[in-house]
Amino acid sequence: MESTSTTSGSRRKIIPICGMFFTFSFAYSIGSYSYGEYGHEAFWKKFRPDGPFKNHTHHSLCDANTSSREYQEEQIVQSLVSKWSTYMSLSQGLPLLVSSGLFCTLSDSFGRKPFVLVSLMGVFLKTFLMCLAVEYNWNVYLFILFIFVDGCCGTWVVQVAMSMAMVSDLTIEGGKSRSFLITVVGFFLSLGYALASFTTGFIIRILGFNWSLGIATMLIIAPMILLYFVEETLQVNKRVQFECNISTYLRNLVQFYIEDDPIIQRSSKVKYILCLTAFICILFSRLGCFSVEIYYIMNTPFCFDPVLIGIFQTSKSIVSEFLILFGIKIMQYKLSDSAIPLVGTITSVVSFVMIGSASSTGLLIAGKKIIYMYSVSEKYI
C-alpha cells in the first residue's frame, strides 16, 4: 500500500483514528468474551437440562476433585465447547482468507474508510444477532452463521490492516515517525482489549449475557460515528486504477509474488516474501500462546482462580503495551528499523523458554512481560 507525504496536520489526524480503533477493540472484545462464556453455559444446560448451571470458573481447578461426577461432566462440556469453538473459528477464518485480501487490495483503489465501515457493519450484525439469540434462547449453533457474516466482512483483521495503512498514508516512507505511530495505534487497540477483558466479567455477573452482548452492539456504533470525522488518508492521485477482471486480477496476483515492481525499482519481492513468512510465523505463535495460556495458568504450580486470571490478563496487557511503546522509542535512538524486530523476536524466544520452565508466579510474570516484545516485530514487519 502506498504512502503519502507527511503533512503538518498528520499527527492530528491520528487522534480520531486512535479513538476509533480503541472503541472498536473495546466493543469487539466484550462481544467475544460474552459469546464465548455463553457457549459454555448453553452447552452445560444442553448436557444437563434438568440441572442448574454451575459456574466452575469461581474456583481453581487445582482444588477440584477429579474423581467426582461433577468434574467428569464438566470435562465433557469442555470437550463440546472446544468443538463448537473450532467450528466458530473455521466459520470466521475461511471467508476471512478471501475478504481480508480482497478488501485490502480494493482499499488501494477506493480508499480506506469504506472498508473500515464494512468491517464495522459485520461486527455490528454479528453481535446484534447473538444478542437476539441469547435473549430468545436460540440454538447455540446459529452463532456459527452469525460469525460467518463477520468473517465475510473482514472483522478485526481488516480493522488492523486499515489502521496500519492509514498511518502509512500519513507518514513518510522510511521515516522514524511511521513505525512509532503504528505502535501508538497498536497501543490503543491493545488498551481496548485489556479494558474489555477486565470489565466483561462484571457486566455479565451484574446484567447477564444478553445485556453484555447488547452493550457490545451499542458500543460498536461509537467507531462508526468516529469514522465520520476521520479524513480519508489515501489521496486520489495515489490510488490504483480498479479493473473488474478476474483473470487480470489473478495474473497480477501471481506476478506480484514473482516479479519485482516496475515502478519502484529498488523493491524486492524476495524480501517481501521473507517478511510475509516471518509475519505469519510470529502471528501463529501469538495465536497459539493466546489459546493455551489460560489453561496453563489454571493448573499447577500456579493454580490461578478467575479473579487472578482477570487481573493477570489485564495487567500484563497494559504494562506490556507501555513497555513496547517506550521501548521502541528508546531503541530507535540506537538501532535501525530492521534491527528492532530482530531484537523483539530474540527476546520472545527467551520469554517462551522462561514461561515454559517457570516454577513460580514471579518467573511467569517476568516471562509474560518480555513475550509481548513479539508485538514489536509484528508491527515493524
Side-chain angles (χ1 to χ4, degrees):
M1 297 178 180
E2 301 177 355
S3 63
T4 64
S5 299
T6 304
T7 63
S8 59
S10 62
R11 290 183 180 270
R12 290 194 300 271
K13 294 178 181 178
I14 294 292
I15 295 176
I17 294 175
C18 290
M20 180 179 64
F21 290 118
F22 166 78
T23 52
F24 165 79
S25 178
F26 183 66
Y28 184 89
S29 299
I30 288 179
S32 298
Y33 277 112
S34 298
Y35 73 71
E37 294 187 27
Y38 174 76
H40 188 279
E41 177 175 340
F43 277 102
W44 181 265
K45 290 181 177 179
K46 185 177 181 180
F47 183 70
R48 294 186 63 187
D50 298 327
F53 171 72
K54 185 173 183 178
N55 186 356
H56 292 274
T57 61
H58 288 297
H59 58 76
S60 170
L61 287 181
C62 296
D63 301 327
N65 180 4
T66 57
S67 62
S68 66
R69 176 189 173 188
E70 185 180 58
Y71 180 84
Q72 298 299 328
E73 290 175 343
E74 173 69 9
Q75 300 309 299
I76 297 175
V77 171
Q78 287 188 4
S79 176
L80 293 172
V81 174
S82 297
K83 292 179 181 179
W84 174 73
S85 298
T86 301
Y87 300 149
M88 294 278 283
S89 299
L90 290 173
S91 181
Q92 184 185 54
L94 292 178
L96 188 58
L97 293 174
V98 178
S99 62
S100 58
L102 178 63
F103 292 165
C104 290
T105 301
L106 292 177
S107 72
D108 286 333
S109 300
F110 298 101
R112 317 301 184 193
K113 290 180 63 174
F115 301 98
V116 173
L117 181 61
V118 170
S119 175
L120 292 173
M121 290 298 298
V123 177
F124 176 84
L125 287 173
K126 178 195 70 176
T127 51
F128 176 71
L129 291 171
M130 287 183 176
C131 180
L132 292 178
V134 172
E135 178 67 25
Y136 295 104
N137 198 27
W138 294 350
N139 192 311
V140 71
Y141 282 102
L142 285 174
F143 282 35
I144 297 174
L145 176 61
F146 302 155
I147 203 168
F148 176 80
V149 174
D150 185 29
C152 291
C153 293
T155 190
W156 63 270
V157 174
V158 169
Q159 291 289 318
V160 173
M162 290 300 103
S163 68
M164 303 299 113
M166 285 178 168
V167 175
S168 296
D169 293 337
L170 294 172
T171 52
I172 299 175
E173 181 182 358
K176 293 288 186 180
S177 61
R178 170 176 293 184
S179 54
F180 180 70
L181 289 176
I182 286 177
T183 305
V184 171
V185 174
F187 168 79
F188 280 95
L189 282 166
S190 299
L191 183 62
Y193 161 77
L195 292 179
S197 66
F198 180 76
T199 58
T200 304
F202 294 102
I203 296 174
I204 293 173
R205 179 181 298 179
I206 297 172
L207 301 175
F209 290 106
N210 53 348
W211 273 101
S212 180
L213 286 165
I215 290 172
T217 304
M218 291 184 286
L219 286 175
I220 206 66
I221 298 175
M224 294 182 187
I225 297 174
L226 289 173
L227 180 63
Y228 176 80
F229 298 98
V230 174
E231 295 183 28
E232 176 56 60
T233 58
L234 185 63
Q235 296 179 359
V236 176
N237 63 336
K238 295 292 183 179
R239 298 184 183 187
V240 179
Q241 184 177 0
F242 174 71
E243 294 183 7
C244 187
N245 188 310
I246 299 299
S247 61
T248 302
Y249 175 79
L250 293 176
R251 184 175 64 253
N252 292 338
L253 182 64
V254 173
Q255 291 177 344
F256 177 82
Y257 285 99
I258 63 176
E259 297 181 4
D260 288 336
D261 194 332
I263 299 176
I264 306 177
Q265 298 294 334
R266 60 188 176 83
S267 67
S268 172
K269 284 297 180 292
V270 175
K271 290 182 180 180
Y272 176 83
I273 294 173
L274 288 174
C275 288
L276 181 61
T277 304
F279 179 80
I280 292 173
C281 292
I282 292 171
L283 192 61
F284 277 165
S285 67
R286 178 176 184 176
L287 295 175
C289 177
F290 177 78
S291 300
V292 302
E293 68 176 1
I294 292 181
Y295 303 106
Y296 180 65
I297 62 180
M298 288 175 69
N299 289 309
T300 55
F302 312 111
C303 298
F304 280 17
D305 60 22
V307 175
L308 286 176
I309 290 174
I311 295 174
F312 176 74
Q313 295 282 74
T314 304
S315 62
K316 74 177 177 64
S317 297
I318 294 177
V319 173
S320 297
E321 286 300 322
F322 273 108
L323 290 176
I324 293 171
L325 188 65
F326 292 105
I328 285 179
K329 199 63 178 177
I330 294 172
M331 286 189 289
Q332 283 182 336
Y333 288 109
K334 298 294 183 181
L335 301 175
S336 64
D337 280 354
S338 59
I340 292 176
L342 178 62
V343 173
T345 303
I346 293 173
T347 53
S348 298
V349 173
V350 174
S351 176
F352 278 123
V353 174
M354 289 178 61
I355 294 171
S357 58
S359 57
S360 65
T361 303
L363 290 174
L364 175 69
I365 293 174
K368 291 302 294 183
K369 300 308 178 188
I370 300 174
I371 198 173
Y372 271 76
M373 288 302 290
Y374 66 64
S375 294
V376 174
S377 305
E378 186 180 308
K379 293 178 175 64
Y380 266 75
I381 293 175

